[in-house]
Amino acid sequence: IATHYWIRIFINKEKSKKYLALFILFSVLSAYTHYFALLEIVVLAMATFIFSNWKLWWKIILAGIIGFLAFLPHYPITKFQMSVGGIGGWLGKPQDYFILDLLFEYFDRSAIIICGFVLIPMILIILKPTTPKIKKTFLLGFLSLLPFCILYFYSIKVNSVLQFSACFFLIPYLLAAFFSFFETEVIQSKQIRWAYISVILVFLTSSLYSNNAFAPIHFAEFKKIAEYIEAHESDSVTTVVAVNNPFYIN
């Protein structure tokens, strides 16, 4: 939502105090929600100085000052978490092929969904060739790839924090960059809408049912501990376990 209002203010150049206030509000909420969402807001601020008119820079500076002040109550928590060093103790560093695994994860590791997203744009290009909107595509690519690169190299050089779930913040930007290649009237045509609705329905079916999405979810480390205890359980050994969910011992 913050990106939506950022685009209206700094790219579409819409003059509205309401949009600026909403951008600041949702930026602060993003910062309080997750550090990776905060990183995306920082990247938006950087993009302002690259893609927008310099006469609008005062708005992002004002938003930054207000956002910084609003985030101050959380600073002691952030400082403590940074001193702890993150989750690198149990989370492995990303491999060289992490980006490929991430893309497969985005498409639910489904060949049907991947083919759908690849074939439909190919058909669009054949039926109605278009001139790519270089600036728009580059902007959206910047918003999606820069945060990923920061997280990837931070995980390699400093402390591992990169997970598939952390990269879900980038999906809207990747999809927007993907559709930016095509004319608006083409994307809004009934045939294309129904084609993508079909692909999305397949995606939802695969995600929710094939992957047993409604089953109880266990935190990975707790589950492994429970499995270890069960495997080494013996009549001659007394096992004392403190858990907050019966699924771990049932």
Side-chain angles (χ1 to χ4, degrees), residues 3-248:
T3 303
H4 168 76
Y5 287 110
W6 178 85
I7 291 175
R8 301 193 73 163
I9 296 168
F10 298 102
I11 303 302
N12 297 344
K13 301 177 182 179
E14 299 182 27
K15 298 180 180 179
S16 172
K17 294 180 180 179
K18 174 184 175 182
Y19 292 161
L20 181 59
L22 289 172
F23 168 70
I24 295 173
L25 171 63
F26 287 110
S27 295
V28 172
L29 292 177
S30 297
Y32 272 98
T33 300
H34 200 287
Y35 288 128
F36 294 161
L38 172 59
L39 174 61
E40 192 64 53
I41 297 300
V42 173
V43 172
L44 280 177
M46 294 171 57
T48 304
F49 298 104
I50 299 175
F51 296 98
S52 72
N53 189 298
W54 66 270
K55 294 180 179 180
L56 300 175
W57 290 1
W58 69 270
K59 293 184 178 181
I60 198 66
I61 294 174
L62 175 63
I65 294 173
I66 296 175
F68 175 78
L69 294 175
F71 192 74
L72 280 180
H74 195 272
Y75 175 73
I77 300 174
T78 302
K79 182 179 179 180
F80 170 76
Q81 291 173 334
M82 292 299 178
S83 66
V84 171
I87 55 179
W90 61 266
L91 180 63
K93 294 183 180 299
Q95 302 298 316
D96 295 339
Y97 48 83
F98 181 88
I99 183 64
L100 296 178
D101 281 342
L102 177 63
L103 291 174
F104 280 117
E105 190 73 18
Y106 277 169
F107 291 105
D108 206 36
R109 298 186 178 272
S110 169
I112 297 176
I113 297 174
I114 294 174
C115 289
F117 272 90
V118 171
L119 290 176
I120 293 176
M122 289 178 63
I123 295 173
L124 282 175
I125 293 173
I126 294 173
L127 294 179
K128 189 178 180 60
T130 60
T131 302
K133 303 175 182 63
I134 301 298
K135 182 178 179 180
K136 181 187 293 185
T137 303
F138 183 77
L139 168 61
L140 294 168
F142 178 87
L143 296 178
S144 58
L145 293 179
L146 183 59
F148 172 80
C149 290
I150 293 174
L151 293 174
Y152 181 83
F153 285 107
Y154 181 86
S155 297
I156 293 293
K157 300 296 183 180
V158 183
N159 190 27
S160 185
V161 296
L162 191 59
Q163 305 176 70
F164 288 149
S165 58
C167 296
F168 286 161
F169 292 107
L170 310 179
I171 292 179
Y173 301 105
L174 287 175
L175 292 177
F178 175 80
F179 284 107
S180 68
F181 282 96
F182 310 110
E183 299 293 342
T184 303
E185 60 269 16
V186 174
I187 298 175
Q188 292 180 347
S189 65
K190 292 183 179 180
Q191 295 84 353
I192 298 304
R193 284 183 178 180
W194 281 111
Y196 274 109
I197 287 175
S198 301
V199 172
I200 291 172
L201 288 176
V202 172
F203 171 79
L204 291 176
T205 302
S206 175
S207 295
L208 298 179
Y209 296 102
S210 299
N211 293 332
N212 202 19
F214 295 111
I217 300 176
H218 308 284
F219 189 65
E221 295 303 306
F222 293 162
K223 184 179 181 182
K224 290 180 180 178
I225 294 173
E227 291 174 346
Y228 178 86
I229 293 174
E230 183 180 5
H232 294 79
E233 190 175 22
S234 172
D235 294 336
S236 60
V237 177
T238 301
T239 303
V240 179
V241 183
V243 296
N244 61 359
N245 193 314
F247 287 109
Y248 293 123

